[in-house]
Amino acid sequence: MYQIMTAGPTQVRENVRMARSQMCTNPDLDKAFFDFYKETCALLSKAMHTENRALILGGEGILGLEAACASLTEPGDRVLVIDNGIFGRGFGDFVKIYQGQPVLYTTDYHNPVDLAALEAYLEKDHDFKYATVVHCDTPSGVLNDVEAISCLLDRYGILTVADSVAGMFGEPLDLSRSKIDILCGGSQKALSAPPGLTMLWVSDRAFQVMEQRKTPIASFYANILAFKNYYEDFFFPYTMPISDINGLRVALENYLADTTVYERHRVIAAACRKALTAGGIKLYLDSGWSNTVTVLEVPQGITDAQLLHGMEDDYGIMISGCFDVLAGKVVRIGHMGENAYPEKVADTLAALQGTLEKLGVPVACDMRAVFLSTLEQ
Ligand SMILES: *Cc1c(COP(=O)(O)O)cnc(C)c1O
Protein backbone atom coordinates (compact mmCIF):
# COMPACT_ATOMS: atom_id res chain seq x y z
CA MET A 1 0.00 0.00 0.00
CA TYR A 2 1.28 3.42 -0.90
CA GLN A 3 1.01 6.39 1.40
CA ILE A 4 -1.23 8.55 -0.82
CA MET A 5 -0.05 12.16 -0.80
CA THR A 6 -2.04 12.83 -3.94
CA ALA A 7 -4.22 15.82 -4.76
CA GLY A 8 -7.23 13.63 -4.00
CA PRO A 9 -8.36 11.08 -3.15
CA THR A 10 -6.66 11.61 0.21
CA GLN A 11 -5.93 9.34 3.16
CA VAL A 12 -8.92 8.13 5.19
CA ARG A 13 -8.88 8.02 8.98
CA GLU A 14 -9.66 4.75 10.72
CA ASN A 15 -12.91 5.94 12.33
CA VAL A 16 -14.26 6.82 8.86
CA ARG A 17 -13.35 3.40 7.53
CA MET A 18 -15.01 1.74 10.53
CA ALA A 19 -18.19 3.78 10.09
CA ARG A 20 -18.52 2.45 6.56
CA SER A 21 -18.67 -1.12 7.81
CA GLN A 22 -21.58 -0.64 10.23
CA MET A 23 -24.78 -2.66 9.80
CA CYS A 24 -27.11 -0.96 7.31
CA THR A 25 -30.81 -0.45 7.28
CA ASN A 26 -32.89 -0.03 4.11
CA PRO A 27 -32.31 3.63 3.22
CA ASP A 28 -35.42 3.79 1.00
CA LEU A 29 -37.81 2.64 3.69
CA ASP A 30 -36.41 3.45 7.12
CA LYS A 31 -37.43 6.83 8.51
CA ALA A 32 -34.34 6.75 10.74
CA PHE A 33 -32.16 6.97 7.64
CA PHE A 34 -34.09 10.01 6.36
CA ASP A 35 -33.50 11.71 9.71
CA PHE A 36 -29.82 10.78 9.63
CA TYR A 37 -29.43 12.09 6.08
CA LYS A 38 -31.23 15.32 6.99
CA GLU A 39 -29.08 15.86 10.10
CA THR A 40 -25.92 15.21 8.10
CA CYS A 41 -27.02 17.78 5.52
CA ALA A 42 -27.71 20.26 8.33
CA LEU A 43 -24.13 19.74 9.55
CA LEU A 44 -22.87 20.38 6.02
CA SER A 45 -24.83 23.66 5.94
CA LYS A 46 -23.35 24.59 9.31
CA ALA A 47 -19.84 23.80 8.09
CA MET A 48 -20.28 26.26 5.21
CA HIS A 49 -21.98 28.91 7.40
CA THR A 50 -25.27 28.93 5.56
CA GLU A 51 -28.96 28.22 5.83
CA ASN A 52 -28.88 27.06 2.21
CA ARG A 53 -30.00 23.51 1.86
CA ALA A 54 -27.24 20.94 1.51
CA LEU A 55 -27.74 17.66 -0.34
CA ILE A 56 -25.65 14.51 -0.70
CA LEU A 57 -25.78 12.73 -4.04
CA GLY A 58 -24.49 9.24 -4.74
CA GLY A 59 -21.73 9.80 -7.26
CA GLU A 60 -18.20 11.15 -7.34
CA GLY A 61 -17.52 14.93 -7.28
CA ILE A 62 -17.96 15.32 -11.03
CA LEU A 63 -21.65 14.45 -10.60
CA GLY A 64 -22.19 17.68 -8.66
CA LEU A 65 -20.65 19.81 -11.41
CA GLU A 66 -22.77 18.11 -14.03
CA ALA A 67 -25.92 18.25 -11.86
CA ALA A 68 -25.51 22.00 -11.36
CA CYS A 69 -25.25 22.57 -15.13
CA ALA A 70 -27.99 20.04 -15.96
CA SER A 71 -30.40 21.61 -13.49
CA LEU A 72 -29.80 25.27 -14.42
CA THR A 73 -29.15 25.16 -18.17
CA GLU A 74 -31.94 25.46 -20.71
CA PRO A 75 -31.30 25.27 -24.46
CA GLY A 76 -29.73 28.51 -25.66
CA ASP A 77 -28.84 29.89 -22.23
CA ARG A 78 -25.63 31.92 -22.22
CA VAL A 79 -23.31 30.80 -19.43
CA LEU A 80 -20.10 32.53 -18.42
CA VAL A 81 -17.37 29.95 -17.90
CA ILE A 82 -14.53 31.42 -15.88
CA ASP A 83 -11.47 29.64 -17.21
CA ASN A 84 -8.20 30.08 -15.37
CA GLY A 85 -7.62 26.38 -14.96
CA ILE A 86 -8.46 22.96 -16.37
CA PHE A 87 -11.54 22.33 -14.19
CA GLY A 88 -12.68 25.89 -14.83
CA ARG A 89 -12.60 25.35 -18.58
CA GLY A 90 -14.20 21.92 -18.23
CA PHE A 91 -17.48 23.44 -17.06
CA GLY A 92 -17.99 24.56 -20.67
CA ASP A 93 -18.42 20.92 -21.70
CA PHE A 94 -21.28 20.36 -19.25
CA VAL A 95 -22.98 23.56 -20.41
CA LYS A 96 -22.75 22.32 -24.01
CA ILE A 97 -24.09 18.85 -23.19
CA TYR A 98 -27.23 20.53 -21.81
CA GLN A 99 -27.45 22.77 -24.90
CA GLY A 100 -26.37 25.99 -23.29
CA GLN A 101 -23.95 28.42 -24.91
CA PRO A 102 -20.72 28.55 -22.91
CA VAL A 103 -18.83 31.84 -23.17
CA LEU A 104 -15.27 31.38 -21.94
CA TYR A 105 -13.62 34.10 -19.89
CA THR A 106 -10.03 32.88 -20.19
CA THR A 107 -7.08 34.25 -18.26
CA ASP A 108 -3.61 32.87 -17.63
CA TYR A 109 -3.27 29.68 -15.59
CA HIS A 110 -0.53 30.98 -13.29
CA ASN A 111 -2.62 33.42 -11.24
CA PRO A 112 -6.05 33.71 -9.63
CA VAL A 113 -8.91 35.58 -11.28
CA ASP A 114 -8.38 39.33 -11.05
CA LEU A 115 -11.60 40.93 -9.84
CA ALA A 116 -11.05 44.30 -11.48
CA ALA A 117 -10.40 42.69 -14.86
CA LEU A 118 -13.49 40.50 -14.51
CA GLU A 119 -15.54 43.55 -13.60
CA ALA A 120 -14.29 45.41 -16.67
CA TYR A 121 -15.35 42.44 -18.79
CA LEU A 122 -18.80 42.28 -17.15
CA GLU A 123 -19.29 46.00 -17.75
CA LYS A 124 -19.31 45.19 -21.47
CA ASP A 125 -21.15 41.85 -21.36
CA HIS A 126 -23.25 40.54 -18.52
CA ASP A 127 -26.09 38.81 -20.29
CA PHE A 128 -25.54 35.45 -18.62
CA LYS A 129 -27.96 33.21 -16.75
CA TYR A 130 -25.20 31.93 -14.52
CA ALA A 131 -21.44 31.72 -14.28
CA THR A 132 -19.16 28.88 -13.26
CA VAL A 133 -15.97 29.28 -11.27
CA VAL A 134 -13.56 27.00 -9.43
CA HIS A 135 -12.31 27.69 -5.90
CA CYS A 136 -9.13 25.57 -5.94
CA ASP A 137 -8.39 24.47 -9.52
CA THR A 138 -6.41 21.40 -8.55
CA PRO A 139 -4.28 20.81 -11.69
CA SER A 140 -2.48 24.14 -11.14
CA GLY A 141 -3.39 24.59 -7.46
CA VAL A 142 -4.69 28.11 -8.00
CA LEU A 143 -7.15 29.49 -5.46
CA ASN A 144 -9.84 31.89 -6.67
CA ASP A 145 -11.72 34.18 -4.31
CA VAL A 146 -15.11 32.66 -5.03
CA GLU A 147 -16.82 34.64 -2.27
CA ALA A 148 -15.89 37.97 -3.86
CA ILE A 149 -16.38 36.73 -7.43
CA SER A 150 -19.91 35.55 -6.65
CA CYS A 151 -20.77 38.91 -5.07
CA LEU A 152 -19.50 40.69 -8.17
CA LEU A 153 -21.51 38.40 -10.47
CA ASP A 154 -24.59 38.97 -8.33
CA ARG A 155 -24.30 42.73 -8.90
CA TYR A 156 -24.79 41.97 -12.60
CA GLY A 157 -27.73 39.64 -11.95
CA ILE A 158 -25.73 36.49 -12.70
CA LEU A 159 -26.08 33.33 -10.60
CA THR A 160 -22.90 31.53 -9.49
CA VAL A 161 -22.01 27.86 -9.60
CA ALA A 162 -18.77 27.27 -7.68
CA ASP A 163 -16.68 24.11 -7.61
CA SER A 164 -14.90 23.87 -4.28
CA VAL A 165 -14.35 20.12 -4.46
CA ALA A 166 -10.64 20.61 -3.69
CA GLY A 167 -10.93 23.78 -1.62
CA MET A 168 -13.57 23.30 1.03
CA PHE A 169 -12.58 21.84 4.42
CA GLY A 170 -8.97 22.87 3.76
CA GLU A 171 -9.52 26.49 2.75
CA PRO A 172 -12.03 28.66 4.64
CA LEU A 173 -15.28 29.18 2.77
CA ASP A 174 -18.17 31.17 4.19
CA LEU A 175 -21.35 31.00 2.14
CA SER A 176 -22.96 33.72 4.25
CA ARG A 177 -20.42 36.14 2.78
CA SER A 178 -21.00 34.96 -0.76
CA LYS A 179 -23.72 34.78 -3.39
CA ILE A 180 -22.92 31.26 -4.46
CA ASP A 181 -26.11 29.61 -5.69
CA ILE A 182 -24.81 26.10 -6.15
CA LEU A 183 -21.66 25.10 -4.32
CA CYS A 184 -20.16 21.74 -5.32
CA GLY A 185 -18.08 19.51 -3.05
CA GLY A 186 -16.83 15.95 -3.02
CA SER A 187 -16.09 13.38 -0.34
CA GLN A 188 -12.55 12.45 -1.37
CA LYS A 189 -10.54 15.67 -1.08
CA ALA A 190 -10.00 17.69 2.12
CA LEU A 191 -12.90 16.01 3.91
CA SER A 192 -10.94 12.77 3.61
CA ALA A 193 -13.72 10.27 3.10
CA PRO A 194 -13.33 7.78 0.24
CA PRO A 195 -14.52 8.78 -3.25
CA GLY A 196 -18.18 8.23 -4.03
CA LEU A 197 -20.21 11.21 -2.89
CA THR A 198 -21.02 14.68 -4.12
CA MET A 199 -22.26 17.40 -1.78
CA LEU A 200 -24.24 20.38 -3.03
CA TRP A 201 -25.36 23.56 -1.27
CA VAL A 202 -28.28 25.08 -3.13
CA SER A 203 -29.73 28.57 -2.65
CA ASP A 204 -33.47 29.25 -2.67
CA ARG A 205 -33.14 31.30 -5.80
CA ALA A 206 -31.37 28.44 -7.59
CA PHE A 207 -34.33 26.19 -6.71
CA GLN A 208 -36.68 28.89 -8.03
CA VAL A 209 -34.80 29.09 -11.31
CA MET A 210 -35.08 25.30 -11.66
CA GLU A 211 -38.80 25.41 -10.86
CA GLN A 212 -39.42 28.18 -13.38
CA ARG A 213 -37.74 26.40 -16.29
CA LYS A 214 -39.69 26.25 -19.54
CA THR A 215 -38.12 22.92 -20.46
CA PRO A 216 -37.71 19.90 -18.20
CA ILE A 217 -34.30 19.09 -16.74
CA ALA A 218 -32.66 16.82 -19.32
CA SER A 219 -31.34 14.29 -16.84
CA PHE A 220 -32.67 11.94 -14.23
CA TYR A 221 -29.58 11.20 -12.15
CA ALA A 222 -28.27 14.77 -12.31
CA ASN A 223 -31.59 16.45 -11.49
CA ILE A 224 -31.16 18.49 -8.29
CA LEU A 225 -34.81 19.46 -8.15
CA ALA A 226 -35.77 15.80 -7.69
CA PHE A 227 -34.12 15.99 -4.23
CA LYS A 228 -35.82 19.16 -3.07
CA ASN A 229 -38.66 17.58 -1.09
CA TYR A 230 -37.10 14.21 -0.28
CA TYR A 231 -37.90 14.55 3.41
CA GLU A 232 -41.51 15.73 3.15
CA ASP A 233 -42.21 13.20 0.38
CA PHE A 234 -40.25 10.43 2.15
CA PHE A 235 -38.70 9.61 -1.21
CA PHE A 236 -35.25 9.73 -2.78
CA PRO A 237 -34.99 9.60 -6.58
CA TYR A 238 -32.68 6.59 -6.22
CA THR A 239 -31.39 4.47 -3.35
CA MET A 240 -28.89 6.37 -1.22
CA PRO A 241 -25.46 4.77 -0.67
CA ILE A 242 -25.87 4.41 3.06
CA SER A 243 -22.38 3.13 3.90
CA ASP A 244 -20.74 5.98 2.02
CA ILE A 245 -22.92 8.44 3.93
CA ASN A 246 -22.09 6.79 7.27
CA GLY A 247 -18.43 7.39 6.46
CA LEU A 248 -19.01 10.95 5.31
CA ARG A 249 -20.81 11.73 8.55
CA VAL A 250 -17.84 10.68 10.68
CA ALA A 251 -15.41 12.53 8.38
CA LEU A 252 -17.56 15.62 8.82
CA GLU A 253 -17.56 15.20 12.60
CA ASN A 254 -13.76 14.85 12.50
CA TYR A 255 -13.60 18.13 10.58
CA LEU A 256 -16.01 19.97 12.90
CA ALA A 257 -14.04 18.84 15.97
CA ASP A 258 -10.76 20.12 14.52
CA THR A 259 -10.44 23.74 15.62
CA THR A 260 -7.04 24.27 13.98
CA VAL A 261 -7.80 22.79 10.61
CA TYR A 262 -7.33 25.93 8.49
CA GLU A 263 -4.26 27.06 10.37
CA ARG A 264 -2.72 23.60 9.93
CA HIS A 265 -3.31 23.71 6.18
CA ARG A 266 -1.99 27.24 5.90
CA VAL A 267 1.23 26.62 7.82
CA ILE A 268 1.99 23.30 6.11
CA ALA A 269 1.37 24.69 2.63
CA ALA A 270 3.57 27.74 3.24
CA ALA A 271 6.41 25.61 4.65
CA CYS A 272 6.12 23.16 1.75
CA ARG A 273 6.46 25.98 -0.79
CA LYS A 274 9.37 27.45 1.11
CA ALA A 275 11.23 24.13 1.22
CA LEU A 276 10.71 23.45 -2.49
CA THR A 277 11.81 26.94 -3.47
CA ALA A 278 14.89 26.72 -1.24
CA GLY A 279 15.68 23.40 -2.91
CA GLY A 280 15.67 25.12 -6.30
CA ILE A 281 12.40 23.56 -7.45
CA LYS A 282 10.13 25.84 -9.44
CA LEU A 283 6.50 26.24 -8.38
CA TYR A 284 3.95 26.37 -11.20
CA LEU A 285 1.99 29.37 -9.92
CA ASP A 286 3.13 32.98 -9.70
CA SER A 287 0.52 33.77 -7.04
CA GLY A 288 -2.68 32.48 -5.47
CA TRP A 289 -1.41 29.20 -4.03
CA SER A 290 -4.12 27.07 -2.46
CA ASN A 291 -3.30 25.60 0.94
CA THR A 292 -4.63 22.22 -0.14
CA VAL A 293 -2.17 21.33 -2.89
CA THR A 294 1.30 22.37 -4.09
CA VAL A 295 2.11 22.11 -7.78
CA LEU A 296 5.72 22.01 -8.91
CA GLU A 297 7.29 21.94 -12.35
CA VAL A 298 9.03 18.77 -13.46
CA PRO A 299 12.73 19.69 -13.54
CA GLN A 300 14.51 19.72 -16.91
CA GLY A 301 16.11 16.46 -17.95
CA ILE A 302 13.66 14.07 -16.27
CA THR A 303 10.07 13.01 -16.87
CA ASP A 304 7.11 13.11 -14.53
CA ALA A 305 6.83 9.32 -14.80
CA GLN A 306 10.43 8.83 -13.62
CA LEU A 307 9.80 11.06 -10.65
CA LEU A 308 6.44 9.54 -9.70
CA HIS A 309 7.56 5.93 -10.12
CA GLY A 310 10.81 6.58 -8.27
CA MET A 311 8.92 7.92 -5.27
CA GLU A 312 6.49 5.00 -5.37
CA ASP A 313 9.10 2.28 -5.82
CA ASP A 314 11.78 3.52 -3.43
CA TYR A 315 9.68 5.24 -0.76
CA GLY A 316 6.12 3.91 -1.09
CA ILE A 317 4.80 7.45 -1.43
CA MET A 318 2.44 8.38 -4.21
CA ILE A 319 1.96 11.95 -5.42
CA SER A 320 -0.06 13.12 -8.45
CA GLY A 321 1.00 13.82 -11.99
CA CYS A 322 -1.30 15.97 -14.11
CA PHE A 323 -3.44 15.85 -17.24
CA ASP A 324 -4.70 17.90 -20.16
CA VAL A 325 -2.54 20.96 -20.92
CA LEU A 326 -0.41 20.32 -17.81
CA ALA A 327 0.26 16.63 -18.55
CA GLY A 328 3.94 15.85 -18.05
CA LYS A 329 4.75 19.42 -17.01
CA VAL A 330 3.97 19.38 -13.30
CA VAL A 331 3.55 17.04 -10.36
CA ARG A 332 1.38 17.73 -7.32
CA ILE A 333 1.64 17.13 -3.60
CA GLY A 334 -1.78 16.94 -1.96
CA HIS A 335 -1.56 18.21 1.61
CA MET A 336 -5.24 18.43 2.44
CA GLY A 337 -7.41 16.77 5.07
CA GLU A 338 -5.73 13.70 6.56
CA ASN A 339 -2.66 14.38 4.41
CA ALA A 340 -2.09 17.73 6.12
CA TYR A 341 0.15 16.60 8.97
CA PRO A 342 3.80 17.63 9.33
CA GLU A 343 5.40 14.15 9.35
CA LYS A 344 3.53 13.08 6.22
CA VAL A 345 4.56 16.13 4.21
CA ALA A 346 8.12 15.95 5.59
CA ASP A 347 8.42 12.32 4.45
CA THR A 348 7.05 13.29 1.05
CA LEU A 349 9.63 16.04 0.61
CA ALA A 350 12.42 13.67 1.65
CA ALA A 351 11.20 11.10 -0.88
CA LEU A 352 10.99 13.75 -3.57
CA GLN A 353 14.52 14.89 -2.80
CA GLY A 354 15.96 11.36 -2.76
CA THR A 355 14.29 10.56 -6.08
CA LEU A 356 15.43 13.79 -7.74
CA GLU A 357 19.01 13.22 -6.62
CA LYS A 358 18.96 9.62 -7.81
CA LEU A 359 17.80 10.91 -11.21
CA GLY A 360 20.71 13.35 -11.26
CA VAL A 361 18.79 16.53 -10.40
CA PRO A 362 20.65 18.48 -7.70
CA VAL A 363 18.62 19.89 -4.79
CA ALA A 364 20.04 22.98 -3.08
CA CYS A 365 19.07 22.23 0.53
CA ASP A 366 17.65 19.52 2.76
CA MET A 367 13.99 20.17 1.93
CA ARG A 368 12.68 18.05 4.80
CA ALA A 369 14.76 20.04 7.28
CA VAL A 370 13.76 23.40 5.80
CA PHE A 371 10.13 22.34 5.90
CA LEU A 372 10.28 21.28 9.55
CA SER A 373 12.24 24.32 10.72
CA THR A 374 9.83 26.66 8.88
CA LEU A 375 6.92 25.02 10.71
CA GLU A 376 8.53 25.84 14.04
CA GLN A 377 8.92 29.54 13.32
C1 LIG B 1 -11.25 16.27 -7.77
C2 LIG B 1 -11.97 17.39 -8.34
C3 LIG B 1 -13.24 17.22 -8.90
C4 LIG B 1 -13.84 15.86 -8.99
O1 LIG B 1 -13.36 15.19 -10.10
P1 LIG B 1 -12.41 13.91 -10.28
O2 LIG B 1 -11.31 14.38 -11.18
O3 LIG B 1 -13.25 12.90 -10.96
O4 LIG B 1 -11.89 13.46 -8.95
C5 LIG B 1 -13.89 18.33 -9.38
N1 LIG B 1 -13.33 19.56 -9.32
C6 LIG B 1 -12.11 19.77 -8.78
C7 LIG B 1 -11.55 21.14 -8.75
C8 LIG B 1 -11.41 18.68 -8.28
O5 LIG B 1 -10.18 18.86 -7.74
Side-chain angles (χ1 to χ4, degrees):
M1 269 293 285
Y2 297 117
Q3 156 126 256
I4 55 166
M5 293 301 290
T6 44
T10 54
Q11 300 181 23
V12 178
R13 202 185 288 183
E14 186 178 15
N15 65 355
V16 174
R17 299 199 304 270
M18 297 304 280
R20 289 164 54 83
S21 55
Q22 284 164 24
M23 296 264 290
C24 328
T25 183
N26 182 325
D28 290 325
L29 303 179
D30 190 340
K31 170 87 169 33
F33 176 77
F34 280 73
D35 287 332
F36 175 76
Y37 178 100
K38 191 171 179 226
E39 265 170 38
T40 307
C41 291
L43 287 178
L44 286 169
S45 296
K46 178 181 162 196
M48 291 297 127
H49 310 278
T50 181
E51 308 272 296
N52 286 359
R53 194 185 303 217
L55 295 168
I56 304 163
L57 274 53
E60 197 276 333
I62 285 289
L63 172 63
L65 280 51
E66 176 159 356
C69 295
S71 302
L72 291 179
T73 314
E74 293 200 70
D77 281 343
R78 291 183 86 226
V79 178
L80 181 66
V81 173
I82 297 179
D83 163 29
N84 72 322
I86 293 169
F87 278 99
R89 169 174 284 254
F91 263 113
D93 297 334
F94 294 124
V95 172
K96 255 189 242 159
I97 290 171
Y98 294 96
Q99 296 182 50
Q101 260 186 63
V103 177
L104 292 182
Y105 172 77
T106 302
T107 63
D108 83 271
Y109 280 18
H110 293 271
N111 295 287
V113 170
D114 179 287
L115 268 135
L118 178 60
E119 181 156 21
Y121 176 90
L122 292 171
E123 257 319 295
K124 293 196 202 106
D125 186 5
H126 47 260
D127 178 23
F128 300 106
K129 181 174 193 177
Y130 69 95
T132 62
V133 62
V134 179
H135 189 200
C136 166
D137 207 310
T138 335
S140 69
V142 74
L143 188 79
N144 290 313
D145 185 350
V146 287
E147 290 173 12
I149 290 169
S150 66
C151 292
L152 172 62
L153 290 163
D154 179 61
R155 295 216 310 273
Y156 289 89
I158 303 166
L159 304 184
T160 299
V161 170
D163 167 0
S164 184
V165 173
M168 62 171 63
F169 305 112
E171 281 283 352
L173 185 54
D174 184 342
L175 281 189
S176 72
R177 294 172 15 169
S178 86
K179 292 282 180 186
I180 296 173
D181 291 284
I182 302 183
L183 174 68
C184 308
S187 52
Q188 81 279 29
K189 302 283 169 78
L191 192 54
S192 286
L197 296 175
T198 274
M199 298 88 78
L200 293 171
W201 289 254
V202 185
S203 71
D204 289 342
R205 71 179 178 175
F207 277 123
Q208 275 164 22
V209 166
M210 294 177 217
E211 280 162 344
Q212 289 163 4
R213 290 172 59 111
K214 296 189 193 71
T215 56
I217 293 173
S219 173
F220 183 86
Y221 215 75
N223 180 339
I224 297 174
L225 203 49
F227 277 81
K228 188 177 174 216
N229 297 321
Y230 73 89
Y231 192 77
E232 297 74 8
D233 297 348
F234 194 43
F235 182 76
F236 287 109
Y238 47 86
T239 303
M240 289 291 102
I242 179 170
S243 298
D244 288 348
I245 297 174
N246 284 337
L248 180 92
R249 172 64 173 262
V250 172
L252 188 57
E253 285 166 2
N254 288 343
Y255 162 82
L256 290 167
D258 185 349
T259 53
T260 61
V261 61
Y262 295 136
E263 179 63 8
R264 189 156 48 76
H265 281 75
R266 190 182 65 72
V267 169
I268 283 178
C272 182
R273 293 194 296 270
K274 182 156 179 208
L276 289 165
T277 310
I281 309 295
K282 197 165 178 310
L283 302 179
Y284 177 74
L285 292 174
D286 297 334
S287 67
W289 301 274
S290 172
N291 292 327
T292 53
V293 58
T294 294
V295 180
L296 47 129
E297 294 188 355
V298 176
Q300 294 252 313
I302 63 167
T303 66
D304 60 337
Q306 285 175 310
L307 185 52
L308 299 174
H309 295 154
M311 289 178 70
E312 289 164 11
D313 294 346
D314 294 346
Y315 300 90
I317 294 179
M318 178 181 272
I319 63 170
S320 301
C322 210
F323 51 94
D324 201 274
V325 293
L326 291 178
K329 296 188 176 144
V330 298
V331 295
R332 302 177 291 156
I333 300 172
H335 38 66
M336 59 180 105
E338 282 298 292
N339 294 11
Y341 287 96
E343 329 73 67
K344 294 180 184 177
V345 179
D347 289 348
T348 305
L349 288 169
L352 177 68
Q353 175 148 6
T355 308
L356 285 171
E357 288 170 346
K358 189 172 166 189
L359 292 168
V361 179
V363 179
C365 70
D366 178 339
M367 296 197 292
R368 180 180 205 280
V370 173
F371 172 76
L372 289 172
S373 69
T374 307
L375 284 183
E376 276 158 24
Q377 282 160 20

